[in-house]
Amino acid sequence: MAFGADELRVLRRALAAVLHPAQISDEDVRAALALAESVDEAVMEARRLRDFLIADLARYRSALPGSLAGYLELLQDAVSAGYVPAPDDLAALRALRGNAVAAALLERCGRIAERSVRERLAARTAVAAPPPAQRTRLLTLVAAGGKDEPRPAKPEPAPARPPGERPVPKPSEVFPPRRKPSPATPPPPRERAAG
């Protein structure tokens, strides 16, 4: 969005009135309101143009590969206007990787999509992450001898089983090991069925 010379004069007068509050003339108020309406209208028009561009891009994408040149041009325009490529766009560009323009655009769109995903994840984790807990300082206890001696950690006792509860058997108790046949004993001969 670019301002003309008249619009910049109105903007300068409005900023001067905010910085140095004084009596503002009715003409300056009307000019500032007209400028605000023009800016709002330009923003709405840019939004409508962006929506049209994205819909047009989807139509060209569905007509690929016949619409290759138009699709690549539209995608470049959309990305320049701030469009974050959709997964469908990345898939279409991967399919068109043989084209040099498509390959370069795939690399650019991949970086933009990755950056967008990282920003969304960072924003989501910033909202979901609890504030860091304050750490308490650990104090060392001085032993009776006056030296700092580390004390061995006391193992925690195993939790007591409620009365009447059976202990959990070991796997070797449930599934005893198999006995291998002794090599001295020949295996029994197989009987052949006559027939």
mmCIF file of all heavy atoms in Angstrom, residues 10 24-35:
data_model
loop_
_atom_site.group_PDB
_atom_site.id
_atom_site.type_symbol
_atom_site.label_atom_id
_atom_site.label_comp_id
_atom_site.label_asym_id
_atom_site.label_seq_id
_atom_site.Cartn_x
_atom_site.Cartn_y
_atom_site.Cartn_z
ATOM 1 N N VAL A 10 -1.891 14.704 5.133
ATOM 2 C CA VAL A 10 -2.951 14.475 6.126
ATOM 3 C C VAL A 10 -2.416 13.623 7.270
ATOM 4 O O VAL A 10 -2.668 13.904 8.449
ATOM 5 C CB VAL A 10 -4.178 13.783 5.460
ATOM 6 C CG1 VAL A 10 -5.174 13.334 6.494
ATOM 7 C CG2 VAL A 10 -4.820 14.721 4.460
ATOM 8 N N ILE A 24 -7.677 21.191 17.028
ATOM 9 C CA ILE A 24 -7.593 20.624 15.686
ATOM 10 C C ILE A 24 -8.735 21.215 14.867
ATOM 11 O O ILE A 24 -9.885 21.256 15.319
ATOM 12 C CB ILE A 24 -7.705 19.091 15.731
ATOM 13 C CG1 ILE A 24 -6.615 18.514 16.631
ATOM 14 C CG2 ILE A 24 -7.603 18.488 14.349
ATOM 15 C CD1 ILE A 24 -6.770 17.048 16.913
ATOM 16 N N SER A 25 -8.401 21.628 13.683
ATOM 17 C CA SER A 25 -9.432 22.234 12.838
ATOM 18 C C SER A 25 -10.365 21.149 12.311
ATOM 19 O O SER A 25 -10.002 19.977 12.194
ATOM 20 C CB SER A 25 -8.783 22.993 11.680
ATOM 21 O OG SER A 25 -8.172 22.075 10.799
ATOM 22 N N ASP A 26 -11.588 21.558 11.972
ATOM 23 C CA ASP A 26 -12.575 20.614 11.427
ATOM 24 C C ASP A 26 -12.099 20.035 10.106
ATOM 25 O O ASP A 26 -12.358 18.869 9.797
ATOM 26 C CB ASP A 26 -13.916 21.325 11.221
ATOM 27 C CG ASP A 26 -14.588 21.665 12.543
ATOM 28 O OD1 ASP A 26 -14.182 21.080 13.568
ATOM 29 O OD2 ASP A 26 -15.499 22.504 12.548
ATOM 30 N N GLU A 27 -11.387 20.844 9.329
ATOM 31 C CA GLU A 27 -10.884 20.371 8.041
ATOM 32 C C GLU A 27 -9.882 19.224 8.231
ATOM 33 O O GLU A 27 -9.929 18.213 7.516
ATOM 34 C CB GLU A 27 -10.217 21.530 7.293
ATOM 35 C CG GLU A 27 -9.697 21.150 5.927
ATOM 36 C CD GLU A 27 -8.957 22.304 5.265
ATOM 37 O OE1 GLU A 27 -9.119 23.465 5.671
ATOM 38 O OE2 GLU A 27 -8.196 22.001 4.327
ATOM 39 N N ASP A 28 -8.987 19.345 9.241
ATOM 40 C CA ASP A 28 -8.010 18.290 9.514
ATOM 41 C C ASP A 28 -8.705 17.013 9.999
ATOM 42 O O ASP A 28 -8.309 15.905 9.630
ATOM 43 C CB ASP A 28 -6.993 18.752 10.562
ATOM 44 C CG ASP A 28 -6.012 19.774 10.005
ATOM 45 O OD1 ASP A 28 -5.938 19.906 8.770
ATOM 46 O OD2 ASP A 28 -5.324 20.433 10.807
ATOM 47 N N VAL A 29 -9.757 17.159 10.797
ATOM 48 C CA VAL A 29 -10.499 15.993 11.289
ATOM 49 C C VAL A 29 -11.166 15.276 10.132
ATOM 50 O O VAL A 29 -11.101 14.040 10.017
ATOM 51 C CB VAL A 29 -11.534 16.412 12.357
ATOM 52 C CG1 VAL A 29 -12.453 15.255 12.704
ATOM 53 C CG2 VAL A 29 -10.840 16.929 13.610
ATOM 54 N N ARG A 30 -11.807 16.035 9.237
ATOM 55 C CA ARG A 30 -12.474 15.427 8.078
ATOM 56 C C ARG A 30 -11.459 14.729 7.176
ATOM 57 O O ARG A 30 -11.695 13.632 6.685
ATOM 58 C CB ARG A 30 -13.251 16.479 7.289
ATOM 59 C CG ARG A 30 -14.601 16.812 7.890
ATOM 60 C CD ARG A 30 -15.454 17.605 6.912
ATOM 61 N NE ARG A 30 -14.897 18.905 6.602
ATOM 62 C CZ ARG A 30 -15.082 20.014 7.323
ATOM 63 N NH1 ARG A 30 -15.849 19.980 8.394
ATOM 64 N NH2 ARG A 30 -14.539 21.147 6.977
ATOM 65 N N ALA A 31 -10.304 15.370 6.963
ATOM 66 C CA ALA A 31 -9.269 14.770 6.112
ATOM 67 C C ALA A 31 -8.725 13.480 6.745
ATOM 68 O O ALA A 31 -8.509 12.474 6.046
ATOM 69 C CB ALA A 31 -8.138 15.765 5.885
ATOM 70 N N ALA A 32 -8.543 13.476 8.063
ATOM 71 C CA ALA A 32 -8.040 12.276 8.739
ATOM 72 C C ALA A 32 -9.067 11.147 8.670
ATOM 73 O O ALA A 32 -8.712 9.985 8.446
ATOM 74 C CB ALA A 32 -7.692 12.591 10.192
ATOM 75 N N LEU A 33 -10.354 11.471 8.847
ATOM 76 C CA LEU A 33 -11.403 10.449 8.752
ATOM 77 C C LEU A 33 -11.496 9.885 7.333
ATOM 78 O O LEU A 33 -11.681 8.678 7.143
ATOM 79 C CB LEU A 33 -12.743 11.022 9.191
ATOM 80 C CG LEU A 33 -12.889 11.289 10.698
ATOM 81 C CD1 LEU A 33 -14.208 11.991 10.990
ATOM 82 C CD2 LEU A 33 -12.788 9.997 11.482
ATOM 83 N N ALA A 34 -11.364 10.760 6.332
ATOM 84 C CA ALA A 34 -11.408 10.295 4.940
ATOM 85 C C ALA A 34 -10.224 9.375 4.641
ATOM 86 O O ALA A 34 -10.368 8.354 3.960
ATOM 87 C CB ALA A 34 -11.416 11.494 3.989
ATOM 88 N N LEU A 35 -9.046 9.735 5.183
ATOM 89 C CA LEU A 35 -7.864 8.895 4.989
ATOM 90 C C LEU A 35 -8.061 7.530 5.667
ATOM 91 O O LEU A 35 -7.718 6.492 5.095
ATOM 92 C CB LEU A 35 -6.616 9.588 5.533
ATOM 93 C CG LEU A 35 -5.307 8.799 5.422
ATOM 94 C CD1 LEU A 35 -4.979 8.496 3.966
ATOM 95 C CD2 LEU A 35 -4.172 9.545 6.072
#
